[in-house]
Amino acid sequence: MSHLTIVPLSSALGAQISGIDISQPLNLEQRDAIEQALLKYQVLFFRDQPIEPQQQARFAAYFGDLHIHPIYPNVPEQPEVLILDTAITDVRDNAIWHTDVTFLPTPAMGAVLSAKLLPEFGGDTLWASGIAAYEALSAPMKTLLEGLTATHDFTRSFPLERYGNTPEALTQWEEARRKNPPLPHPVIRTHPVSGRRSLFVNEGFTSKINELSETESEVILKFLFAYTTRPEFTIRWRWQKDDIAFWDNRVTQHHAVDDYRPARRVMQRATVLGDVPFFR
């Protein structure tokens, strides 16, 4: 039997889970209980979970195939686990509201983030619920957005001037750019499991709404970026070492607060691939 204890953290999203050691293999009941909690609460937090990269990848792989990031460094013996180390990599693109890898045709279903080294203060992460934001929209605004698509562009968070400034980095960036051209996703996305609708644009990767004029697109996107991240649709997590966060990337976005420099922060992430976004 599963003995998970689930404590909701806000009405919009978020729950803390205890009663499980995710460094160990899961049985089917545990896996299903975590998936159901994820569908309901959208982001799950686990305290005191010291895990090795191999264990982190194994846990994430219970929920789908894993992604290897085209830019960020990874654990050499476990390339599906990327390293977000402020002493090595400029992670400014995490310090804006974004949904992970929406520049892919099949953006991430979710991600498992592990806290390895934390600053003495600061470095919290916020998540926002696209479901809560969508459901709070007026009926006319929902009607306006239905059927629209938006372009998601790799270069918005990985610009050439920051990620192509050495010959080796430039080669890597050009290859990533070639493999990830701008592509469209629906502005409103239907969750493939729950059927709930969610706003699916984010400041990190969304560049324009395709069916609108440039001016109209700019105004609507500016509104949606600000609206979706209103406090009532968000939750803020204060990290402790060996915390794990597991979020549903299909219906959330997040923001890693960059308020701890020059201190160092090291996180490791395993990303679970999803499916093609759709609206119905």
Side-chain angles (χ1 to χ4, degrees), residues 8-83:
L9 300 177
S10 81
S11 60
L13 78 169
Q16 185 171 337
I17 309 293
S18 58
I20 190 169
D21 180 358
I22 63 175
S23 71
Q24 300 302 308
L26 303 183
N27 60 42
L28 183 59
E29 186 178 12
Q30 290 172 321
R31 185 256 178 223
D32 290 348
I34 291 172
E35 182 178 51
Q36 290 305 308
L38 186 70
L39 291 173
K40 182 174 182 179
Y41 297 108
Q42 302 166 59
V43 56
L44 307 178
F45 302 101
F46 306 79
R47 293 281 196 198
D48 192 24
Q49 298 281 342
I51 57 174
E52 297 298 321
Q54 296 85 351
Q55 297 167 327
Q56 184 173 356
R58 181 181 63 200
F59 174 79
Y62 281 111
F63 304 94
D65 295 332
L66 303 187
H67 176 244
I68 297 177
H69 201 278
I71 294 293
Y72 285 136
N74 53 33
V75 177
E77 65 274 17
Q78 196 69 56
E80 302 90 348
V81 177
L82 64 85
I83 303 168

Side-chain angles (χ1 to χ4, degrees), residues 159-269:
L160 176 61
E161 60 268 23
R162 283 202 286 124
Y163 289 93
N165 47 21
T166 69
E168 181 181 7
L170 178 60
T171 298
Q172 182 184 31
W173 184 91
E174 288 177 338
E175 178 67 6
R177 183 69 178 84
R178 183 185 67 79
K179 290 182 177 179
N180 298 283
L183 51 72
H185 291 309
V187 171
I188 301 172
R189 178 178 185 173
T190 303
H191 195 291
V193 181
S194 71
R196 300 178 75 182
R197 292 177 174 178
S198 168
L199 290 172
F200 194 65
V201 295
N202 70 93
E203 189 175 1
F205 294 112
T206 308
S207 59
K208 64 178 179 178
I209 297 178
N210 300 313
E211 294 78 12
L212 302 182
S213 70
E214 182 177 350
T215 301
E216 292 168 337
S217 171
E218 182 179 355
V219 170
I220 295 297
L221 282 180
K222 184 176 181 180
F223 162 73
L224 291 175
F225 294 158
Y227 170 79
T228 309
T229 57
R230 284 167 51 170
E232 60 265 36
F233 306 139
T234 69
I235 190 167
R236 182 170 184 144
W237 184 252
R238 179 165 293 177
W239 293 98
Q240 297 177 12
K241 187 177 184 301
D242 294 323
D243 280 358
I244 299 285
F246 179 26
W247 64 91
D248 190 333
N249 195 69
R250 297 166 292 196
V251 293
T252 63
Q253 52 184 291
H254 53 282
H255 184 301
V257 183
D258 190 5
D259 61 352
Y260 51 88
R261 311 252 180 190
R264 185 181 178 192
R265 182 177 184 265
V266 181
M267 315 290 279
Q268 293 183 352
R269 190 182 88 201

Side-chain angles (χ1 to χ4, degrees), residues 115-179:
K116 297 301 184 184
L117 179 67
L118 297 170
E120 182 180 354
F121 56 83
D124 297 354
T125 302
L126 297 93
W127 280 264
S129 170
I131 291 175
Y134 170 77
E135 291 179 349
L137 285 172
S138 67
M141 181 57 75
K142 290 177 181 176
T143 299
L144 171 66
L145 299 176
E146 287 180 3
L148 297 181
T149 65
T151 294
H152 293 245
D153 191 341
F154 162 84
T155 64
R156 279 180 64 87
S157 280
F158 297 98
L160 176 61
E161 60 268 23
R162 283 202 286 124
Y163 289 93
N165 47 21
T166 69
E168 181 181 7
L170 178 60
T171 298
Q172 182 184 31
W173 184 91
E174 288 177 338
E175 178 67 6
R177 183 69 178 84
R178 183 185 67 79
K179 290 182 177 179

